Amino acid sequence: MGLKRTDEFRQYAVRIALTSGLTRKQVADDLGVGMSTLNKWITAHRDTDVVSKEDLSLAKENDRLRREIRLLKEEREILNKATQLFAGLKQ
C-alpha cells in the first residue's frame, strides 16, 4: 500500500533533483521514491515554473564549478605525487 504523493511533494522532489547538486539516485533514495518515478516527475515538471530559470541557471553553474573543483583536486594530487617522486630521486 503506497503513499499517495501530493503535487506539492512532487514539485518539491523536482526542485531538489534539479537544484541541489545531489544525484537523482540520492534524491530518490532520500525521498523514498523510485528512480523511474522521480524521472517521470522531472519530465512532467521540467518546463513549468516549479524551478525558476534563475535557480536552474545557478544549479548549472554549481555543477560546472563542482566538476572544475574535482578536476583541480585531481591535478593537485598528481602534482603532489610528482613532487614527492622527484624529491625522492634527488636524495
Side-chain angles (χ1 to χ4, degrees):
M1 185 191 290
L3 290 174
K4 176 121 172 80
R5 305 297 186 182
T6 65
D7 198 44
E8 184 178 1
F9 179 84
R10 289 190 293 271
Q11 290 174 3
Y12 170 78
V14 171
R15 258 194 307 279
I16 295 299
L18 295 178
T19 63
S20 69
L22 299 171
T23 66
R24 288 187 184 183
K25 172 118 178 70
Q26 288 172 308
V27 173
D29 289 348
D30 289 350
L31 296 177
V33 299
M35 278 289 295
S36 61
T37 300
L38 180 60
N39 285 329
K40 278 193 275 188
W41 294 349
I42 290 170
T43 299
H45 289 87
R46 182 188 305 278
D47 296 326
T48 67
D49 62 354
V50 168
V51 179
S52 72
K53 299 272 187 249
E54 182 181 332
D55 284 345
L56 277 177
S57 177
L58 288 172
K60 286 179 184 177
E61 178 68 1
N62 284 340
D63 287 342
R64 185 190 69 76
L65 291 170
R66 281 186 191 94
R67 284 190 303 273
E68 187 174 330
I69 288 169
R70 188 173 56 245
L71 178 63
L72 290 170
K73 284 180 177 179
E74 290 171 2
E75 289 174 351
R76 183 186 65 201
E77 190 167 320
I78 290 168
L79 289 173
N80 284 339
K81 288 180 180 179
T83 300
Q84 291 170 2
L85 178 67
F86 290 129
L89 291 176
K90 288 184 176 182
Q91 294 177 358

